[in-house]
Amino acid sequence: MKTLSETWFADGYIDFELKKYTLLAYLQEVNKYFNENKLYPQLADIIFHYHNLVAFRENKKFLQEQFPKKLTGMQIEKLQVLYEQIIQDDELMQELEDIINYAANKMKKAISNGTEIYEFVEDKLKIFPVGIIPLDTNEGYFFLSEGAHHTTRVYQYRLSFFEKHDEKYRSIRTEYIDSWQRNIANSYEQIKSELIKIKSELPNPAVYSIETALKFPVEETLLPIAKRTLVRYISSPAA
């Protein structure tokens, strides 16, 4: 995948036409993946770059709090110094503002396209517990089935908590276990029983099934959306 540096709009020579073609080449590839219904990592990447542009335009400490793992201190310092330098040069500042405004509008349209696909897929997911769910749902398994196939992909998951800006968030880590062919003789409950025998470290796991009639790329679309849906489902009071 064609990528942009975190500071692409300010790197090197600040020229509108040059940056425009750099951006359009990037967006062309992003949209190519979106047209194939492949959302990740493209959607997350373009959202990151969009927020970069907006933060720089609004002169906010440049994502020091929002994306501490993505940008290094050196990159943040570089952009803050750059902002202070070019704000004194009206012509250069106008060129950069034109680049940022143009890029933000183009990225926003691409994000909208990706978000439409995301929401469509999310709306078509059906999630439900398999058997009795224990009190501790922070670790367990989920089954992912898509299209008309009877193949069920099994993942082990683990939820963890982290705090950011005095708010608590949940993150999920997953590991692919195996695939089972589901049929009358091999139901979700029987797959769960097999897992308990195979993985003795989880004798009473929380198990969920996530189904969809859609046929979408698993790794790039269905799995990332399924993971987010599962986190929200488990976190809801009714779960």
Side-chain angles (χ1 to χ4, degrees):
M1 173 187 166
K2 187 179 291 293
T3 59
L4 296 174
S5 75
E6 289 86 349
T7 58
W8 70 273
F9 56 93
D11 289 342
Y13 188 57
I14 298 177
D15 175 76
F16 180 83
E17 291 300 323
L18 177 63
K19 299 299 184 182
K20 173 183 174 181
Y21 289 120
T22 300
L23 172 72
L24 292 179
Y26 167 76
L27 291 179
Q28 183 178 31
E29 186 153 351
V30 168
N31 285 318
K32 181 190 76 172
Y33 282 100
F34 286 176
N35 290 337
E36 296 171 356
N37 294 317
K38 295 178 179 179
L39 293 183
Y40 289 91
Q42 290 75 26
L43 183 57
D45 189 67
I46 193 172
I47 288 174
F48 167 77
H49 285 300
Y50 175 77
H51 285 299
N52 268 13
L53 293 172
V54 172
F56 187 83
R57 184 170 59 189
E58 296 178 359
N59 191 22
K60 295 178 176 176
K61 292 187 181 179
F62 206 69
L63 304 183
Q64 191 165 8
E65 295 180 349
Q66 291 89 332
F67 295 94
K69 295 181 181 178
K70 187 76 174 180
L71 289 179
T72 65
M74 187 177 296
Q75 289 168 328
I76 293 170
E77 183 180 357
K78 172 187 173 183
L79 287 165
Q80 289 173 339
V81 170
L82 174 65
Y83 192 95
E84 292 171 1
Q85 289 175 343
I86 65 177
I87 201 170
Q88 301 173 25
D89 186 329
D90 292 340
E91 185 176 345
L92 189 60
M93 189 63 188
Q94 186 58 55
E95 188 81 358
L96 187 59
E97 285 184 356
D98 290 343
I99 293 167
I100 289 175
N101 289 334
Y102 177 85
N105 288 332
K106 288 291 185 180
M107 286 184 176
K108 194 172 183 179
K109 290 179 182 178
I111 291 171
S112 178
N113 293 337
T115 302
E116 284 183 13
I117 299 171
Y118 182 103
E119 291 176 347
F120 176 78
V121 175
E122 182 183 44
D123 185 61
K124 301 300 181 181
L125 293 181
K126 178 183 178 183
I127 181 169
F128 55 89
V130 177
I132 298 174
I133 298 297
L135 293 177
D136 183 3
T137 57
N138 289 328
E139 188 171 12
Y141 305 98
F142 69 90
F143 304 154
L144 184 60
S145 306
E146 46 89 22
H149 299 286
H150 293 289
T151 300
T152 296
R153 298 168 64 93
V154 177
Y155 298 85
Q156 184 171 349
Y157 77 85
R158 183 170 184 81
L159 295 180
S160 57
F161 294 88
F162 67 95
E163 291 190 13
K164 184 176 178 183
H165 304 305
D166 297 325
E167 292 187 40
K168 289 185 177 181
Y169 295 88
R170 275 190 166 187
S171 63
I172 184 170
R173 297 184 64 180
T174 61
E175 177 187 355
Y176 174 70
I177 303 298
D178 206 344
S179 292
W180 270 264
Q181 290 299 315
R182 195 177 74 261
N183 49 49
I184 295 176
N186 200 29
S187 64
Y188 284 138
E189 286 76 10
Q190 287 170 314
I191 295 175
K192 177 179 178 179
S193 297
E194 286 187 47
L195 280 170
I196 293 173
K197 292 177 183 177
I198 297 170
K199 308 277 285 185
S200 57
E201 69 270 20
L202 288 177
N204 185 30
V207 181
Y208 301 90
S209 173
I210 304 175
E211 296 180 342
T212 179
L214 299 174
K215 180 67 176 175
F216 273 74
V218 174
E219 297 296 331
E220 299 92 343
T221 302
L222 281 178
L223 179 58
I225 296 176
K227 288 162 62 174
R228 290 170 179 260
T229 302
L230 179 64
V231 172
R232 188 165 56 252
Y233 181 88
I234 294 175
S235 302
S236 66

